Amino acid sequence: MKHLLKLADLSREEILSVLNLADQLKYERKNGFSKPYLQGKKLGMIFQKSSTRTRVSFETGMYELGGYALFLSNRDLQIGRGEPVEDTARVLSRYLDGVMIRTFEQKEVEDFAKYGSIPVINGLTDYCHPCQVLADLMTVREVKGSFKNLKLCFIGDGNNMANSLMVGAIKTGMAFSIACPKGYEPDGGLVEWAKANGEFTMTEDVSEAARGADVIYTDVWASMGQESEKQSREKAFKGYQVNGELMSVANKNAMVLHCLPAHRGEEITADVFEAHADEIFEEAENRLHAQKAVMCKLMK
Ligand code: CP
Ligand code: NVA
């Protein structure tokens, strides 16, 4: 594993190995014997979009590992004034030991990896969100004990979260279903891959997707960068909501996950959110452990 650009690049074994290390790091931190595995290492964090969890978990995670993290906003970097990514990558590779990038185009993180000489971590693009899904998988395994015989169901937009979740679910052996409106399906290439490599269902019917599910997952109707589509999306996604009725067709002990931020009353009702708040905030905490594991794998 040289980079974390998308989950599809990782083998099942590599994903499980990251999750195992994440569990170990969580255990060590909880019991007060965290070790500075990345003493003196420097991580650059380039943000072209807003963030609460990703920024704070990478920054504190690096601190806990004995390293240093630099927050680099595109408003301050020359990249925001048009300096090409291939130049930025070659320059930053001479100062840093790794870089995390949150941006719009997947091509930008891929290009950074191509032209730079340090590990690159995708902190969310329009195409995928691998760090989030590693934390999600960690949370599922923590609550359910294993991935055996589980079905993960995603309700809503076939966006970056859906793209990464379907890969993560299928690589770890879970069945994956998605209910999304016509025109809002996940990436076509990934759909083909999922059909060929696992148990995959795609439907417009939320009950059909949720039936018998062990994990119900949802995300916002309008992602960062889609603010101008807010109204048309509210119309398209009406009914694509995780609510009491939907939960009644899922398995009895189904868990609910959300990458956050959540919009109560849109993709999830306040009562379902609060009933599953323990799982959702454990999932948010697990961002820290999963990303520390990724940094150790790539930068140690
Ligand atoms: N889930 C997630 O990536 O949150 P942030 O946008 O706050 O980083
Ligand atoms: N799909 C959302 C995820 C936020 C973590 C977005 O891209 O805004």
Side-chain angles (χ1 to χ4, degrees):
M1 193 172 150
K2 272 173 72 183
H3 304 284
L4 177 59
L5 305 178
K6 53 186 184 295
L7 275 190
D9 297 337
L10 269 54
S11 67
R12 170 188 162 82
E13 289 66 35
E14 282 172 321
I15 291 175
L16 293 176
S17 165
V18 170
L19 300 183
N20 292 344
L21 180 57
D23 285 348
Q24 181 197 322
L25 294 171
K26 184 172 185 174
Y27 177 84
E28 289 178 1
R29 182 178 186 261
K30 206 168 158 187
N31 292 286
F33 52 91
S34 292
K35 297 183 195 79
Y37 295 109
L38 294 180
Q39 188 77 55
K41 300 278 185 184
K42 297 162 295 273
L43 176 80
M45 307 186 299
I46 301 177
F47 282 92
Q48 310 239 24
K49 291 179 177 177
S50 306
S51 170
T52 297
R53 282 144 288 270
T54 306
R55 179 191 172 170
V56 179
S57 55
F58 266 107
E59 192 162 334
T60 53
M62 200 49 181
Y63 175 78
E64 289 181 9
L65 290 166
Y68 181 71
L70 294 88
F71 174 72
L72 305 165
S73 142
N74 74 313
R75 278 185 295 276
D76 309 320
L77 290 175
Q78 295 286 10
I79 216 170
R81 295 180 57 244
E83 183 167 16
V85 67
E86 52 265 47
D87 294 356
T88 309
R90 283 177 286 184
V91 171
L92 293 184
S93 293
R94 290 171 182 255
Y95 306 138
L96 300 168
D97 301 292
V99 68
M100 183 246 92
I101 308 175
R102 167 168 287 197
T103 189
F104 294 87
E105 280 183 57
Q106 177 70 14
K107 186 174 182 301
E108 201 173 321
V109 295
E110 305 266 352
D111 280 351
F112 202 109
K114 184 168 154 196
Y115 292 103
S117 53
I118 53 174
V120 178
I121 301 170
N122 181 341
L124 180 146
T125 58
D126 291 343
Y127 175 68
C128 66
H129 197 359
C131 291
Q132 177 67 53
V133 170
L134 289 170
D136 300 338
L137 294 172
M138 179 182 176
T139 314
V140 169
R141 196 170 68 164
E142 233 169 27
V143 173
K144 298 287 183 190
S146 83
F147 297 113
K148 263 210 176 91
N149 302 320
L150 295 184
K151 172 178 170 179
L152 190 150
C153 163
F154 183 88
I155 302 289
D157 191 15
N159 60 14
N160 43 12
M161 280 311 314
N163 284 340
S164 284
L165 275 168
M166 55 200 262
V167 175
I170 284 175
K171 288 214 178 205
T172 53
M174 290 189 272
F176 182 85
S177 64
I178 176 167
C180 55
K182 225 184 166 71
Y184 294 93
E185 293 88 0
D187 178 79
L190 289 178
V191 167
E192 290 312 310
W193 175 87
K195 282 182 183 162
N197 287 280
E199 212 177 306
F200 175 81
T201 323
M202 185 161 70
T203 167
E204 288 174 52
D205 181 343
V206 290
S207 306
E208 185 191 337
R211 194 160 300 125
D214 304 283
V215 186
I216 300 283
Y217 202 114
T218 191
D219 184 18
V220 291
W221 291 342
S223 286
M224 290 182 275
Q226 297 171 337
E227 288 76 10
S228 66
E229 298 172 32
K230 196 173 181 306
Q231 278 191 334
S232 57
R233 284 174 167 269
E234 270 170 17
K235 249 170 103 183
F237 286 99
K238 207 165 177 287
Y240 288 85
Q241 185 187 60
V242 176
N243 53 32
E245 195 186 328
L246 182 103
M247 291 309 294
S248 72
V249 301
N251 268 349
K252 204 167 121 254
N253 291 322
M255 51 193 293
V256 174
L257 294 178
H258 193 307
C259 56
L260 302 175
H263 291 179
R264 292 166 178 79
E266 292 185 16
E267 77 275 5
I268 190 165
T269 56
D271 55 328
V272 171
F273 184 92
E274 289 308 329
H276 293 272
D278 287 351
E279 290 154 8
I280 293 169
F281 291 108
E282 198 67 28
E283 173 192 15
E285 178 187 319
N286 285 341
R287 293 291 304 277
L288 174 71
H289 312 300
Q291 288 157 198
K292 282 168 75 177
V294 168
M295 290 191 284
C296 285
K297 290 277 180 200
L298 296 177
M299 294 167 69
K300 218 162 118 182

